Amino acid sequence: MNKIAEEINKYPQDYWDFKGITKSGIHNIGKYPATMVPDMQYQLLSVISKHLNNKNISLLDPFCGSGTTLVIAQELGINSVGIDINPYATLLSFVKTHQYNRADVCDAISTIKNNLEQESNFPIYDFVNIKKWFRDDIIKSLSQIRHCILLEKNQDIRKFFWICLSEVIFKFSNDRTSTFKLHVLPKEKIDLIEDRCIEYFIKIVNDNSAHLNYSNITSSNIICGDSNSTMKYKLKDEFNIICTSPPYGDNPTTVTYGQSSILFLKWIDNVDLSCSQELLKKYTTIDKISIGGEKRNIINTKNIKSLNEFLNKISLKKQSKVINFFEDYYVVLKSMRQCLSKNGYLIMTVGNRSVDAVRQPLDNITIEILEGLGLKMVSKFNRNILYKNSPLKLSLLKDKKTIKTIQKETIIIFTK
Ligand SMILES: C[S@@+](CC[C@H](N)C(=O)[O-])C[C@H]1O[C@@H](n2cnc3c(N)ncnc32)[C@H](O)[C@@H]1O
C-alpha cells in the first residue's frame, strides 16, 4: 500500500468527521457557501507535504472559494495560487491570506470609526432594484459606510472593510438567508429589521481585524477567472500539490455561489474588484459562466461508464444539464493534470448530489476520468458532513419534495 494511504488509514474512520470542531478565527470572516473543513485540509496537507519532504512545495486550488485551503497552505509555509470565477470569493481569499501591517490596520479602524461619526454629507448609493433588497433607512446607513470605506487610501485595507461590509449586508438586507438563491423576505419580516448597520459594521471590523494575517510570509496569488482558461493560458509553473473541492454540479441547480454573493458585490467599488462590471449587471451571470452553465455537446465524456450509467437513470431534461457540467468538468480535470508535476499529488473533495432523486456518483466519475487521463489513485475515503449549516443539506427542489441531501463527502488522492 502507498505510504500516504497507510498513514491515512491509521486514523479511525470517524476521525475525518472532526466532530465538535467548528470554524474559528480567520476562517469565520465573510459569508461564503460550502466552505471546506479547515482541520481536514490541515491534516491532509501535512501528510502530503511530509511525503514530499516539505521541500519546494507549491500548491494550486483551482476552485478556491473562500480560500480555506490557501489559508492552511500558508499556515504550513506553502506558497499557493488560488483561482475562482466569483470576484467575491477571490476578494475574500485575498483578505484572508494577505499580510497586513497591524499598526496600519489599527489606524485605519480608528479613522473609519471617526468618519462614521462625523461624515453626514454622503451620496445615497443606488443600483437597479436596490429597493427590492434593502429598506430606505438601511440604504442610507450602508451608503454612509460605503462612503467612509472609500475615504480609506490603502486598497488592501479597503478590501478588508468591503468583506466586513458584506457581513452587514448579509444581516440587514431583505434577502432570506436560509438559502443561497435570492428570495425577498415577507413584508412583515422586513418591517422587523432593526437598522443597526453602523454599530454592527464597527463590531465586525473589530472582531475580524483580530484574525487577519500579520505574520505569515508565504505568499498566495489569487486570480479571478475561469479555472480552465487560467490554468491553460496564464499559469507557467507546475505544482506538486493541487488540492480542491470543485462544484458538485452546475451552480443554478446545486449551489448558487454567484447569487449568494451578488448583493455584496453590488455595493463594492469596482476599482477594488478584479472583474468587469458586465459580470455584476445581472444577478445570475456568475452562476451562468461557472462550470456547467453553458450548453455543451457530449464529446469528451461519451465513454465514461459511470457517467453513462447515471445518465440512463435520469430524465432527458436533466441529462442535458448534467452533460453540460461533466463536459466542463472533464476539461478542467485535464488542465489540472497538466499543471501537476511528476510525482505530485492531486487531492479532490467531492460530494454526490441527487438528480431526479438518483445519486450522481461524482466520486466514481472523477476516478474514472482521472485514471483515464493517466493519474494513479493512492487513497479514497469518506467523511460525514456533520454541521447543519452545510448548504448541501438543503433541498433545492422547487416542489419542496424532500430529497436525500448530501451527508457524506469523499476525499480522493491521486498521483502523477
Ligand atoms: C465547492 S466551492 C469551493 C469551496 C472552497 N473549497 C472553500 O472552502 O470555500 C467551488 C467553487 O468553484 C467556483 N467555480 C465554479 N465554476 C468555476 C470556474 N469555471 N472557474 C473557477 N471557479 C469556478 C465557485 O465560484 C465556487 O467558489
Side-chain angles (χ1 to χ4, degrees):
M1 194 193 291
N2 172 286
K3 289 238 165 67
I4 289 188
E6 247 172 50
E7 187 140 348
I8 283 170
N9 290 347
K10 274 199 295 203
Y11 295 97
Q13 181 65 39
D14 62 355
Y15 169 81
W16 298 98
D17 298 349
F18 294 99
K19 192 172 178 196
I21 296 176
T22 48
K23 277 197 301 174
S24 60
I26 189 89
H27 295 290
N28 265 338
I29 290 185
K31 291 280 171 202
Y32 205 67
T35 57
M36 277 176 149
V37 177
D39 297 78
M40 180 176 82
Q41 296 309 101
Y42 187 91
Q43 205 52 38
L44 282 173
L45 291 180
S46 305
V47 170
I48 306 271
S49 352
K50 202 173 90 190
H51 283 272
L52 291 169
N53 297 323
N54 293 316
K55 272 197 208 126
N56 301 325
I57 301 184
S58 56
L59 175 144
L60 169 68
D61 183 346
F63 297 102
C64 69
S66 67
T68 312
T69 303
L70 309 176
V71 171
I72 297 298
Q74 205 165 38
E75 275 177 36
L76 291 166
I78 299 172
N79 290 321
S80 64
V81 173
I83 310 169
D84 205 286
I85 206 153
N86 182 337
Y88 178 73
T90 48
L91 181 75
L92 181 54
S93 296
F94 172 86
V95 168
K96 283 162 81 171
T97 52
H98 181 70
Q99 193 189 359
Y100 282 94
N101 177 296
R102 198 183 287 273
D104 292 349
V105 171
C106 285
D107 286 351
I109 293 177
S110 50
T111 307
I112 201 163
K113 280 184 193 164
N114 282 339
N115 286 340
L116 283 166
E117 272 169 26
Q118 284 158 18
E119 290 281 329
S120 51
N121 196 7
F122 51 87
I124 300 295
Y125 190 57
D126 195 13
F127 56 80
V128 177
N129 264 341
I130 193 169
K131 293 199 178 195
K132 177 173 177 185
W133 300 110
F134 302 92
R135 239 176 32 205
D136 282 350
D137 55 333
I138 303 283
I139 294 177
K140 191 169 173 220
S141 298
L142 293 177
S143 300
Q144 188 177 356
I145 301 173
R146 187 177 189 277
H147 170 75
C148 292
I149 293 177
L150 287 171
L151 293 176
E152 171 57 53
K153 296 225 160 44
N154 180 324
Q155 187 182 43
D156 300 336
I157 295 180
R158 271 201 316 271
K159 289 182 176 179
F160 166 62
F161 286 153
W162 293 128
I163 292 301
C164 297
L165 179 65
S166 74
E167 295 191 37
V168 180
I169 293 168
F170 183 81
K171 197 169 165 67
F172 295 97
S173 79
N174 297 344
D175 178 33
R176 195 175 70 182
T177 52
S178 55
T179 65
F180 299 120
K181 281 200 170 143
L182 287 167
H183 283 286
V184 181
L185 284 167
K187 183 170 180 313
E188 57 282 13
K189 288 220 169 138
I190 294 176
D191 289 344
L192 288 176
I193 298 172
E194 229 185 294
D195 176 10
R196 289 183 294 103
C197 292
I198 293 181
E199 179 194 332
Y200 190 68
F201 175 75
I202 292 173
K203 177 186 161 13
I204 295 293
V205 164
N206 284 330
D207 291 354
N208 287 353
S209 66
H211 303 300
L212 290 177
N213 162 22
Y214 297 113
S215 57
N216 275 319
I217 44 156
T218 46
S219 73
S220 198
N221 177 15
I222 321 275
I223 303 166
C224 185
D226 169 62
S227 54
N228 185 48
S229 40
T230 307
M231 283 189 281
K232 253 176 139 170
Y233 306 114
K234 289 201 181 146
L235 300 183
K236 287 190 197 82
D237 301 319
E238 289 184 333
F239 298 82
N240 45 14
I241 301 182
I242 300 183
C243 179
T244 200
S245 174
Y248 301 162
D250 64 297
N251 288 14
T253 69
T254 317
V255 177
T256 51
Y257 294 99
Q259 269 192 53
S260 79
S261 317
I262 194 71
L263 291 183
F264 312 155
L265 289 163
K266 288 270 183 196
W267 281 89
I268 301 173
D269 195 87
N270 202 242
V271 289
D272 296 333
L273 288 175
S274 33
C275 71
S276 87
Q277 257 321 97
E278 263 320 290
L279 196 64
L280 311 180
K281 266 197 185 147
K282 287 195 184 153
Y283 291 4
T284 48
T285 306
I286 297 174
D287 292 317
K288 273 214 184 104
I289 61 159
S290 292
I291 178 169
E294 305 251 1
K295 181 87 200 94
R296 307 275 183 228
N297 292 325
I298 187 157
I299 301 168
N300 294 306
T301 56
K302 218 179 189 161
N303 297 322
I304 305 294
K305 218 171 125 232
S306 45
L307 174 61
N308 283 319
E309 280 169 12
F310 170 64
L311 287 172
N312 286 334
K313 294 181 196 152
I314 60 173
S315 65
L316 270 178
K317 205 172 147 214
K318 297 278 169 67
Q319 277 181 15
S320 66
K321 284 198 171 165
V322 170
I323 290 168
N324 298 344
F325 173 76
F326 279 106
E327 280 294 315
D328 284 355
Y329 190 60
Y330 181 93
V331 291
V332 106
L333 290 181
K334 201 168 163 196
S335 295
M336 276 156 72
R337 187 206 166 273
Q338 238 138 31
C339 285
L340 189 67
S341 62
K342 179 128 183 55
N343 300 320
Y345 289 95
L346 166 59
I347 312 165
M348 299 282 291
T349 300
V350 297
N352 297 341
R353 66 167 181 149
S354 297
V355 178
D356 279 347
V358 182
R359 284 269 175 231
Q360 170 183 282
L362 184 60
D363 50 358
N364 293 337
I365 297 171
T366 304
I367 295 169
E368 205 182 323
I369 295 177
L370 286 172
E371 289 189 336
L373 291 170
L375 297 191
K376 206 172 123 221
M377 186 171 80
V378 292
S379 177
K380 176 190 173 199
F381 60 96
N382 291 326
R383 63 178 296 274
N384 293 307
I385 302 172
L386 296 178
Y387 298 107
K388 291 274 182 286
N389 67 354
S390 165
L392 304 170
K393 296 208 162 204
L394 293 177
S395 161
L396 286 146
L397 290 185
K398 278 204 192 94
D399 57 8
K400 304 229 170 55
K401 253 196 288 171
T402 45
I403 50 161
K404 274 194 199 151
T405 47
I406 300 181
Q407 278 150 5
K408 277 186 196 309
E409 54 192 11
T410 308
I411 293 88
I412 323 167
I413 306 177
F414 301 86
T415 190
K416 184 166 163 184

